[in-house]
Amino acid sequence: KAGVTQTPRYLIKTRGQQVTLSCSPISGHRSVSWYQQTPGQGLQFLFEYFSETQRNKGNFPGRFSGRQFSNSRSEMNVSTLELGDSALYLCASSPQTGDEQFFGPGTRLTVL
Amino acid sequence: QKEVEQNSGPLSVPEGAIASLNCTYSDRVSQSFFWYRQYSGKSPELIMSIYSNGDKEDGRFTAQLNKASQYVSLLIRDSQPSDSATYLCAFLDTGGFKTIFGAGTRLFVKA
């Protein structure tokens, strides 16, 4: 069974731009969670989607948004990028909310 | 705010020794606990989940859970240099239905 895939793997943007990251979960998994990982803050929860509905949201500004499609694929968007948004963005999927999560390889975003 | 406390390390052990990684968590009602391993530059990979008090063994790995003490640990027997990584402890926040991760413990296994 194929694992979680994320695209793109690397991104370089400048301040003020926006970015869209994509995540395809493991087949049959309906829950997709997004995390931001930085050296100083560890893994920070962004949001979780289940059956196209956002069920939970972490403490991030409204510039961070996401959505999930009917095939469970998910996207997250960051608008008006700031230098502090430079991080590894990880997507994780699970069959149901609260089950064991399986991570994709991540998208490394650098904001200049 | 619910959280996980882990010693950031680094924890250094010789090859062949037992590595003991510990964490405490703040959610008294959580039923689901997880250990992940993350190599430098890679994404976390699930090692083990544990849901009941006591020990759960999988190969060289043993997870131990004590809900009364809100404590979970991971033992790695016969540690190998390839075990050198950051180990993340996590639990399911049943109130918010999200998984909360600790900052991780860096483990070095010396050959």
Side-chain angles (χ1 to χ4, degrees), chain A residues 1-36:
Chain A
K1 186 181 275 191
V4 179
T5 59
Q6 291 187 247
T7 57
R9 293 292 310 280
Y10 302 91
L11 266 178
I12 299 176
K13 293 286 187 179
T14 57
R15 280 181 298 174
Q17 288 187 307
Q18 74 166 25
V19 66
T20 299
L21 312 181
S22 179
C23 170
S24 292
I26 292 171
S27 178
H29 286 194
R30 297 168 65 191
S31 171
V32 174
S33 298
W34 287 90
Y35 297 87
Q36 180 194 67

PDB file of all heavy atoms in Angstrom, chain A residues 1-36:
ATOM      1  N   LYS A   1       0.864  -1.192   0.000  1.00  0.00           N
ATOM      2  CA  LYS A   1       0.000   0.000   0.000  1.00  0.00           C
ATOM      3  C   LYS A   1       0.893   1.232   0.000  1.00  0.00           C
ATOM      4  O   LYS A   1       1.834   1.336   0.766  1.00  0.00           O
ATOM      5  CB  LYS A   1      -0.849  -0.017   1.278  1.00  0.00           C
ATOM      6  CG  LYS A   1      -1.893   1.071   1.338  1.00  0.00           C
ATOM      7  CD  LYS A   1      -2.676   1.016   2.655  1.00  0.00           C
ATOM      8  CE  LYS A   1      -3.804   0.035   2.567  1.00  0.00           C
ATOM      9  NZ  LYS A   1      -4.724   0.157   3.713  1.00  0.00           N
ATOM     10  N   ALA A   2       0.605   2.161  -0.888  1.00  0.00           N
ATOM     11  CA  ALA A   2       1.417   3.366  -0.991  1.00  0.00           C
ATOM     12  C   ALA A   2       1.251   4.206   0.274  1.00  0.00           C
ATOM     13  O   ALA A   2       0.195   4.223   0.906  1.00  0.00           O
ATOM     14  CB  ALA A   2       0.998   4.166  -2.210  1.00  0.00           C
ATOM     15  N   GLY A   3       2.334   4.910   0.621  1.00  0.00           N
ATOM     16  CA  GLY A   3       2.296   5.754   1.806  1.00  0.00           C
ATOM     17  C   GLY A   3       1.714   7.116   1.510  1.00  0.00           C
ATOM     18  O   GLY A   3       1.184   7.376   0.428  1.00  0.00           O
ATOM     19  N   VAL A   4       1.834   7.994   2.476  1.00  0.00           N
ATOM     20  CA  VAL A   4       1.366   9.362   2.335  1.00  0.00           C
ATOM     21  C   VAL A   4       2.334  10.115   1.432  1.00  0.00           C
ATOM     22  O   VAL A   4       3.555  10.002   1.606  1.00  0.00           O
ATOM     23  CB  VAL A   4       1.297  10.053   3.714  1.00  0.00           C
ATOM     24  CG1 VAL A   4       0.830  11.502   3.566  1.00  0.00           C
ATOM     25  CG2 VAL A   4       0.378   9.283   4.657  1.00  0.00           C
ATOM     26  N   THR A   5       1.809  10.841   0.480  1.00  0.00           N
ATOM     27  CA  THR A   5       2.658  11.636  -0.397  1.00  0.00           C
ATOM     28  C   THR A   5       2.345  13.112  -0.219  1.00  0.00           C
ATOM     29  O   THR A   5       1.198  13.492   0.049  1.00  0.00           O
ATOM     30  CB  THR A   5       2.484  11.241  -1.870  1.00  0.00           C
ATOM     31  OG1 THR A   5       1.112  11.431  -2.248  1.00  0.00           O
ATOM     32  CG2 THR A   5       2.859   9.794  -2.099  1.00  0.00           C
ATOM     33  N   GLN A   6       3.400  13.910  -0.342  1.00  0.00           N
ATOM     34  CA  GLN A   6       3.259  15.352  -0.226  1.00  0.00           C
ATOM     35  C   GLN A   6       3.998  16.016  -1.379  1.00  0.00           C
ATOM     36  O   GLN A   6       5.082  15.602  -1.746  1.00  0.00           O
ATOM     37  CB  GLN A   6       3.832  15.864   1.100  1.00  0.00           C
ATOM     38  CG  GLN A   6       3.033  15.450   2.310  1.00  0.00           C
ATOM     39  CD  GLN A   6       3.551  16.118   3.577  1.00  0.00           C
ATOM     40  OE1 GLN A   6       4.083  15.459   4.460  1.00  0.00           O
ATOM     41  NE2 GLN A   6       3.394  17.434   3.663  1.00  0.00           N
ATOM     42  N   THR A   7       3.376  17.042  -1.915  1.00  0.00           N
ATOM     43  CA  THR A   7       4.023  17.824  -2.965  1.00  0.00           C
ATOM     44  C   THR A   7       3.786  19.306  -2.728  1.00  0.00           C
ATOM     45  O   THR A   7       2.735  19.694  -2.171  1.00  0.00           O
ATOM     46  CB  THR A   7       3.467  17.456  -4.364  1.00  0.00           C
ATOM     47  OG1 THR A   7       2.048  17.650  -4.366  1.00  0.00           O
ATOM     48  CG2 THR A   7       3.805  16.027  -4.726  1.00  0.00           C
ATOM     49  N   PRO A   8       4.739  20.156  -3.084  1.00  0.00           N
ATOM     50  CA  PRO A   8       6.090  19.765  -3.500  1.00  0.00           C
ATOM     51  C   PRO A   8       6.936  19.373  -2.289  1.00  0.00           C
ATOM     52  O   PRO A   8       6.486  19.525  -1.159  1.00  0.00           O
ATOM     53  CB  PRO A   8       6.605  21.043  -4.161  1.00  0.00           C
ATOM     54  CG  PRO A   8       5.925  22.134  -3.393  1.00  0.00           C
ATOM     55  CD  PRO A   8       4.561  21.617  -3.044  1.00  0.00           C
ATOM     56  N   ARG A   9       8.113  18.897  -2.494  1.00  0.00           N
ATOM     57  CA  ARG A   9       8.970  18.543  -1.371  1.00  0.00           C
ATOM     58  C   ARG A   9       9.731  19.762  -0.844  1.00  0.00           C
ATOM     59  O   ARG A   9      10.011  19.841   0.353  1.00  0.00           O
ATOM     60  CB  ARG A   9       9.967  17.466  -1.789  1.00  0.00           C
ATOM     61  CG  ARG A   9       9.320  16.119  -2.111  1.00  0.00           C
ATOM     62  CD  ARG A   9       8.741  15.453  -0.868  1.00  0.00           C
ATOM     63  NE  ARG A   9       9.706  15.418   0.218  1.00  0.00           N
ATOM     64  CZ  ARG A   9      10.680  14.538   0.326  1.00  0.00           C
ATOM     65  NH1 ARG A   9      10.818  13.592  -0.582  1.00  0.00           N
ATOM     66  NH2 ARG A   9      11.524  14.580   1.357  1.00  0.00           N
ATOM     67  N   TYR A  10      10.024  20.679  -1.718  1.00  0.00           N
ATOM     68  CA  TYR A  10      10.755  21.888  -1.329  1.00  0.00           C
ATOM     69  C   TYR A  10      10.132  23.092  -2.019  1.00  0.00           C
ATOM     70  O   TYR A  10       9.669  23.004  -3.163  1.00  0.00           O
ATOM     71  CB  TYR A  10      12.239  21.789  -1.720  1.00  0.00           C
ATOM     72  CG  TYR A  10      12.948  20.598  -1.122  1.00  0.00           C
ATOM     73  CD1 TYR A  10      13.006  19.384  -1.803  1.00  0.00           C
ATOM     74  CD2 TYR A  10      13.541  20.679   0.130  1.00  0.00           C
ATOM     75  CE1 TYR A  10      13.633  18.286  -1.250  1.00  0.00           C
ATOM     76  CE2 TYR A  10      14.176  19.583   0.692  1.00  0.00           C
ATOM     77  CZ  TYR A  10      14.217  18.395  -0.001  1.00  0.00           C
ATOM     78  OH  TYR A  10      14.841  17.309   0.557  1.00  0.00           O
ATOM     79  N   LEU A  11      10.118  24.191  -1.280  1.00  0.00           N
ATOM     80  CA  LEU A  11       9.576  25.442  -1.804  1.00  0.00           C
ATOM     81  C   LEU A  11      10.390  26.609  -1.273  1.00  0.00           C
ATOM     82  O   LEU A  11      10.700  26.633  -0.073  1.00  0.00           O
ATOM     83  CB  LEU A  11       8.134  25.624  -1.350  1.00  0.00           C
ATOM     84  CG  LEU A  11       6.981  25.175  -2.235  1.00  0.00           C
ATOM     85  CD1 LEU A  11       5.662  25.431  -1.520  1.00  0.00           C
ATOM     86  CD2 LEU A  11       7.012  25.878  -3.580  1.00  0.00           C
ATOM     87  N   ILE A  12      10.662  27.542  -2.139  1.00  0.00           N
ATOM     88  CA  ILE A  12      11.273  28.794  -1.705  1.00  0.00           C
ATOM     89  C   ILE A  12      10.359  29.919  -2.153  1.00  0.00           C
ATOM     90  O   ILE A  12      10.033  30.021  -3.341  1.00  0.00           O
ATOM     91  CB  ILE A  12      12.690  28.980  -2.281  1.00  0.00           C
ATOM     92  CG1 ILE A  12      13.602  27.851  -1.813  1.00  0.00           C
ATOM     93  CG2 ILE A  12      13.260  30.339  -1.863  1.00  0.00           C
ATOM     94  CD1 ILE A  12      14.997  27.897  -2.404  1.00  0.00           C
ATOM     95  N   LYS A  13       9.927  30.718  -1.211  1.00  0.00           N
ATOM     96  CA  LYS A  13       9.031  31.841  -1.488  1.00  0.00           C
ATOM     97  C   LYS A  13       9.601  33.103  -0.840  1.00  0.00           C
ATOM     98  O   LYS A  13      10.502  33.033   0.002  1.00  0.00           O
ATOM     99  CB  LYS A  13       7.634  31.544  -0.929  1.00  0.00           C
ATOM    100  CG  LYS A  13       6.915  30.399  -1.622  1.00  0.00           C
ATOM    101  CD  LYS A  13       6.419  30.812  -2.978  1.00  0.00           C
ATOM    102  CE  LYS A  13       5.555  29.750  -3.607  1.00  0.00           C
ATOM    103  NZ  LYS A  13       5.043  30.174  -4.942  1.00  0.00           N
ATOM    104  N   THR A  14       9.025  34.216  -1.204  1.00  0.00           N
ATOM    105  CA  THR A  14       9.402  35.481  -0.575  1.00  0.00           C
ATOM    106  C   THR A  14       8.259  35.986   0.284  1.00  0.00           C
ATOM    107  O   THR A  14       7.090  35.589   0.097  1.00  0.00           O
ATOM    108  CB  THR A  14       9.792  36.535  -1.614  1.00  0.00           C
ATOM    109  OG1 THR A  14       8.710  36.706  -2.515  1.00  0.00           O
ATOM    110  CG2 THR A  14      11.023  36.105  -2.390  1.00  0.00           C
ATOM    111  N   ARG A  15       8.594  36.848   1.205  1.00  0.00           N
ATOM    112  CA  ARG A  15       7.584  37.408   2.111  1.00  0.00           C
ATOM    113  C   ARG A  15       6.434  38.023   1.326  1.00  0.00           C
ATOM    114  O   ARG A  15       6.631  38.679   0.310  1.00  0.00           O
ATOM    115  CB  ARG A  15       8.218  38.477   2.996  1.00  0.00           C
ATOM    116  CG  ARG A  15       8.984  37.923   4.168  1.00  0.00           C
ATOM    117  CD  ARG A  15       9.553  39.040   5.006  1.00  0.00           C
ATOM    118  NE  ARG A  15      10.507  39.848   4.254  1.00  0.00           N
ATOM    119  CZ  ARG A  15      11.069  40.948   4.711  1.00  0.00           C
ATOM    120  NH1 ARG A  15      10.757  41.389   5.911  1.00  0.00           N
ATOM    121  NH2 ARG A  15      11.927  41.623   3.986  1.00  0.00           N
ATOM    122  N   GLY A  16       5.247  37.808   1.807  1.00  0.00           N
ATOM    123  CA  GLY A  16       4.069  38.377   1.185  1.00  0.00           C
ATOM    124  C   GLY A  16       3.394  37.459   0.170  1.00  0.00           C
ATOM    125  O   GLY A  16       2.217  37.658  -0.160  1.00  0.00           O
ATOM    126  N   GLN A  17       4.137  36.491  -0.331  1.00  0.00           N
ATOM    127  CA  GLN A  17       3.539  35.557  -1.281  1.00  0.00           C
ATOM    128  C   GLN A  17       2.638  34.565  -0.546  1.00  0.00           C
ATOM    129  O   GLN A  17       2.576  34.539   0.686  1.00  0.00           O
ATOM    130  CB  GLN A  17       4.643  34.797  -2.037  1.00  0.00           C
ATOM    131  CG  GLN A  17       5.390  35.630  -3.052  1.00  0.00           C
ATOM    132  CD  GLN A  17       6.346  34.790  -3.877  1.00  0.00           C
ATOM    133  OE1 GLN A  17       7.185  34.060  -3.351  1.00  0.00           O
ATOM    134  NE2 GLN A  17       6.225  34.889  -5.197  1.00  0.00           N
ATOM    135  N   GLN A  18       1.930  33.757  -1.321  1.00  0.00           N
ATOM    136  CA  GLN A  18       1.142  32.697  -0.737  1.00  0.00           C
ATOM    137  C   GLN A  18       1.611  31.357  -1.304  1.00  0.00           C
ATOM    138  O   GLN A  18       2.293  31.305  -2.339  1.00  0.00           O
ATOM    139  CB  GLN A  18      -0.348  32.888  -1.007  1.00  0.00           C
ATOM    140  CG  GLN A  18      -0.781  32.577  -2.419  1.00  0.00           C
ATOM    141  CD  GLN A  18      -2.305  32.466  -2.515  1.00  0.00           C
ATOM    142  OE1 GLN A  18      -3.049  33.031  -1.713  1.00  0.00           O
ATOM    143  NE2 GLN A  18      -2.776  31.712  -3.489  1.00  0.00           N
ATOM    144  N   VAL A  19       1.252  30.298  -0.607  1.00  0.00           N
ATOM    145  CA  VAL A  19       1.715  28.979  -1.015  1.00  0.00           C
ATOM    146  C   VAL A  19       0.621  27.944  -0.750  1.00  0.00           C
ATOM    147  O   VAL A  19      -0.172  28.086   0.195  1.00  0.00           O
ATOM    148  CB  VAL A  19       3.007  28.609  -0.254  1.00  0.00           C
ATOM    149  CG1 VAL A  19       2.748  28.442   1.240  1.00  0.00           C
ATOM    150  CG2 VAL A  19       3.644  27.364  -0.827  1.00  0.00           C
ATOM    151  N   THR A  20       0.559  26.940  -1.604  1.00  0.00           N
ATOM    152  CA  THR A  20      -0.375  25.827  -1.425  1.00  0.00           C
ATOM    153  C   THR A  20       0.405  24.527  -1.415  1.00  0.00           C
ATOM    154  O   THR A  20       1.203  24.264  -2.319  1.00  0.00           O
ATOM    155  CB  THR A  20      -1.426  25.787  -2.550  1.00  0.00           C
ATOM    156  OG1 THR A  20      -2.186  26.996  -2.526  1.00  0.00           O
ATOM    157  CG2 THR A  20      -2.376  24.606  -2.353  1.00  0.00           C
ATOM    158  N   LEU A  21       0.171  23.737  -0.373  1.00  0.00           N
ATOM    159  CA  LEU A  21       0.825  22.448  -0.225  1.00  0.00           C
ATOM    160  C   LEU A  21      -0.225  21.349  -0.356  1.00  0.00           C
ATOM    161  O   LEU A  21      -1.366  21.521   0.083  1.00  0.00           O
ATOM    162  CB  LEU A  21       1.499  22.336   1.150  1.00  0.00           C
ATOM    163  CG  LEU A  21       2.369  23.513   1.591  1.00  0.00           C
ATOM    164  CD1 LEU A  21       2.977  23.236   2.959  1.00  0.00           C
ATOM    165  CD2 LEU A  21       3.428  23.817   0.576  1.00  0.00           C
ATOM    166  N   SER A  22       0.200  20.218  -0.920  1.00  0.00           N
ATOM    167  CA  SER A  22      -0.758  19.149  -1.168  1.00  0.00           C
ATOM    168  C   SER A  22      -0.366  17.865  -0.448  1.00  0.00           C
ATOM    169  O   SER A  22       0.820  17.585  -0.262  1.00  0.00           O
ATOM    170  CB  SER A  22      -0.849  18.896  -2.678  1.00  0.00           C
ATOM    171  OG  SER A  22      -1.758  17.846  -2.959  1.00  0.00           O
ATOM    172  N   CYS A  23      -1.367  17.105  -0.074  1.00  0.00           N
ATOM    173  CA  CYS A  23      -1.146  15.848   0.652  1.00  0.00           C
ATOM    174  C   CYS A  23      -2.129  14.799   0.144  1.00  0.00           C
ATOM    175  O   CYS A  23      -3.343  15.040   0.113  1.00  0.00           O
ATOM    176  CB  CYS A  23      -1.352  16.077   2.148  1.00  0.00           C
ATOM    177  SG  CYS A  23      -1.380  14.563   3.142  1.00  0.00           S
ATOM    178  N   SER A  24      -1.605  13.637  -0.220  1.00  0.00           N
ATOM    179  CA  SER A  24      -2.463  12.508  -0.585  1.00  0.00           C
ATOM    180  C   SER A  24      -2.306  11.430   0.473  1.00  0.00           C
ATOM    181  O   SER A  24      -1.203  10.903   0.668  1.00  0.00           O
ATOM    182  CB  SER A  24      -2.069  11.959  -1.958  1.00  0.00           C
ATOM    183  OG  SER A  24      -2.369  12.888  -2.968  1.00  0.00           O
ATOM    184  N   PRO A  25      -3.377  11.099   1.181  1.00  0.00           N
ATOM    185  CA  PRO A  25      -3.269  10.132   2.277  1.00  0.00           C
ATOM    186  C   PRO A  25      -3.168   8.704   1.771  1.00  0.00           C
ATOM    187  O   PRO A  25      -3.344   8.425   0.580  1.00  0.00           O
ATOM    188  CB  PRO A  25      -4.588  10.342   3.036  1.00  0.00           C
ATOM    189  CG  PRO A  25      -5.550  10.773   1.977  1.00  0.00           C
ATOM    190  CD  PRO A  25      -4.743  11.607   1.026  1.00  0.00           C
ATOM    191  N   ILE A  26      -2.896   7.817   2.692  1.00  0.00           N
ATOM    192  CA  ILE A  26      -2.914   6.387   2.395  1.00  0.00           C
ATOM    193  C   ILE A  26      -4.330   6.011   1.963  1.00  0.00           C
ATOM    194  O   ILE A  26      -5.316   6.505   2.546  1.00  0.00           O
ATOM    195  CB  ILE A  26      -2.483   5.574   3.640  1.00  0.00           C
ATOM    196  CG1 ILE A  26      -1.000   5.827   3.921  1.00  0.00           C
ATOM    197  CG2 ILE A  26      -2.742   4.084   3.453  1.00  0.00           C
ATOM    198  CD1 ILE A  26      -0.515   5.262   5.240  1.00  0.00           C
ATOM    199  N   SER A  27      -4.427   5.147   0.969  1.00  0.00           N
ATOM    200  CA  SER A  27      -5.735   4.739   0.472  1.00  0.00           C
ATOM    201  C   SER A  27      -6.597   4.189   1.608  1.00  0.00           C
ATOM    202  O   SER A  27      -6.167   3.341   2.392  1.00  0.00           O
ATOM    203  CB  SER A  27      -5.548   3.657  -0.603  1.00  0.00           C
ATOM    204  OG  SER A  27      -6.791   3.201  -1.073  1.00  0.00           O
ATOM    205  N   GLY A  28      -7.804   4.711   1.703  1.00  0.00           N
ATOM    206  CA  GLY A  28      -8.721   4.270   2.743  1.00  0.00           C
ATOM    207  C   GLY A  28      -8.693   5.121   3.995  1.00  0.00           C
ATOM    208  O   GLY A  28      -9.578   5.005   4.848  1.00  0.00           O
ATOM    209  N   HIS A  29      -7.686   5.961   4.137  1.00  0.00           N
ATOM    210  CA  HIS A  29      -7.611   6.854   5.293  1.00  0.00           C
ATOM    211  C   HIS A  29      -8.461   8.083   5.026  1.00  0.00           C
ATOM    212  O   HIS A  29      -8.325   8.728   3.981  1.00  0.00           O
ATOM    213  CB  HIS A  29      -6.159   7.265   5.570  1.00  0.00           C
ATOM    214  CG  HIS A  29      -5.341   6.184   6.165  1.00  0.00           C
ATOM    215  ND1 HIS A  29      -4.104   6.420   6.749  1.00  0.00           N
ATOM    216  CD2 HIS A  29      -5.569   4.853   6.302  1.00  0.00           C
ATOM    217  CE1 HIS A  29      -3.614   5.281   7.206  1.00  0.00           C
ATOM    218  NE2 HIS A  29      -4.484   4.317   6.936  1.00  0.00           N
ATOM    219  N   ARG A  30      -9.294   8.423   6.003  1.00  0.00           N
ATOM    220  CA  ARG A  30     -10.198   9.549   5.816  1.00  0.00           C
ATOM    221  C   ARG A  30      -9.802  10.777   6.629  1.00  0.00           C
ATOM    222  O   ARG A  30     -10.335  11.853   6.425  1.00  0.00           O
ATOM    223  CB  ARG A  30     -11.614   9.115   6.176  1.00  0.00           C
ATOM    224  CG  ARG A  30     -12.148   8.002   5.274  1.00  0.00           C
ATOM    225  CD  ARG A  30     -13.419   7.398   5.822  1.00  0.00           C
ATOM    226  NE  ARG A  30     -14.515   8.362   5.850  1.00  0.00           N
ATOM    227  CZ  ARG A  30     -15.666   8.146   6.475  1.00  0.00           C
ATOM    228  NH1 ARG A  30     -15.856   7.024   7.132  1.00  0.00           N
ATOM    229  NH2 ARG A  30     -16.613   9.057   6.440  1.00  0.00           N
ATOM    230  N   SER A  31      -8.887  10.579   7.564  1.00  0.00           N
ATOM    231  CA  SER A  31      -8.443  11.704   8.401  1.00  0.00           C
ATOM    232  C   SER A  31      -7.074  12.169   7.943  1.00  0.00           C
ATOM    233  O   SER A  31      -6.157  11.359   7.744  1.00  0.00           O
ATOM    234  CB  SER A  31      -8.379  11.271   9.868  1.00  0.00           C
ATOM    235  OG  SER A  31      -7.766  12.264  10.653  1.00  0.00           O
ATOM    236  N   VAL A  32      -6.950  13.477   7.773  1.00  0.00           N
ATOM    237  CA  VAL A  32      -5.671  14.085   7.405  1.00  0.00           C
ATOM    238  C   VAL A  32      -5.386  15.220   8.379  1.00  0.00           C
ATOM    239  O   VAL A  32      -6.228  16.095   8.588  1.00  0.00           O
ATOM    240  CB  VAL A  32      -5.698  14.628   5.962  1.00  0.00           C
ATOM    241  CG1 VAL A  32      -4.408  15.390   5.664  1.00  0.00           C
ATOM    242  CG2 VAL A  32      -5.880  13.493   4.965  1.00  0.00           C
ATOM    243  N   SER A  33      -4.206  15.169   8.976  1.00  0.00           N
ATOM    244  CA  SER A  33      -3.769  16.225   9.890  1.00  0.00           C
ATOM    245  C   SER A  33      -2.534  16.904   9.321  1.00  0.00           C
ATOM    246  O   SER A  33      -1.716  16.262   8.655  1.00  0.00           O
ATOM    247  CB  SER A  33      -3.438  15.652  11.276  1.00  0.00           C
ATOM    248  OG  SER A  33      -4.568  15.071  11.874  1.00  0.00           O
ATOM    249  N   TRP A  34      -2.412  18.176   9.627  1.00  0.00           N
ATOM    250  CA  TRP A  34      -1.255  18.953   9.196  1.00  0.00           C
ATOM    251  C   TRP A  34      -0.513  19.466  10.426  1.00  0.00           C
ATOM    252  O   TRP A  34      -1.133  19.886  11.414  1.00  0.00           O
ATOM    253  CB  TRP A  34      -1.702  20.151   8.354  1.00  0.00           C
ATOM    254  CG  TRP A  34      -2.187  19.801   6.987  1.00  0.00           C
ATOM    255  CD1 TRP A  34      -3.470  19.509   6.616  1.00  0.00           C
ATOM    256  CD2 TRP A  34      -1.411  19.736   5.788  1.00  0.00           C
ATOM    257  NE1 TRP A  34      -3.524  19.253   5.274  1.00  0.00           N
ATOM    258  CE2 TRP A  34      -2.288  19.391   4.737  1.00  0.00           C
ATOM    259  CE3 TRP A  34      -0.059  19.944   5.493  1.00  0.00           C
ATOM    260  CZ2 TRP A  34      -1.852  19.233   3.417  1.00  0.00           C
ATOM    261  CZ3 TRP A  34       0.371  19.796   4.187  1.00  0.00           C
ATOM    262  CH2 TRP A  34      -0.515  19.447   3.164  1.00  0.00           C
ATOM    263  N   TYR A  35       0.825  19.449  10.322  1.00  0.00           N
ATOM    264  CA  TYR A  35       1.676  19.928  11.401  1.00  0.00           C
ATOM    265  C   TYR A  35       2.773  20.826  10.834  1.00  0.00           C
ATOM    266  O   TYR A  35       3.226  20.636   9.702  1.00  0.00           O
ATOM    267  CB  TYR A  35       2.357  18.757  12.129  1.00  0.00           C
ATOM    268  CG  TYR A  35       1.412  17.808  12.814  1.00  0.00           C
ATOM    269  CD1 TYR A  35       0.852  16.737  12.136  1.00  0.00           C
ATOM    270  CD2 TYR A  35       1.081  17.987  14.153  1.00  0.00           C
ATOM    271  CE1 TYR A  35      -0.016  15.858  12.764  1.00  0.00           C
ATOM    272  CE2 TYR A  35       0.220  17.114  14.798  1.00  0.00           C
ATOM    273  CZ  TYR A  35      -0.329  16.054  14.096  1.00  0.00           C
ATOM    274  OH  TYR A  35      -1.192  15.192  14.728  1.00  0.00           O
ATOM    275  N   GLN A  36       3.187  21.758  11.666  1.00  0.00           N
ATOM    276  CA  GLN A  36       4.357  22.568  11.348  1.00  0.00           C
ATOM    277  C   GLN A  36       5.472  22.136  12.292  1.00  0.00           C
ATOM    278  O   GLN A  36       5.249  22.022  13.505  1.00  0.00           O
ATOM    279  CB  GLN A  36       4.048  24.059  11.560  1.00  0.00           C
ATOM    280  CG  GLN A  36       5.206  24.974  11.242  1.00  0.00           C
ATOM    281  CD  GLN A  36       4.992  26.385  11.781  1.00  0.00           C
ATOM    282  OE1 GLN A  36       4.969  26.595  13.002  1.00  0.00           O
ATOM    283  NE2 GLN A  36       4.840  27.347  10.884  1.00  0.00           N
TER     284      GLN A  36
END
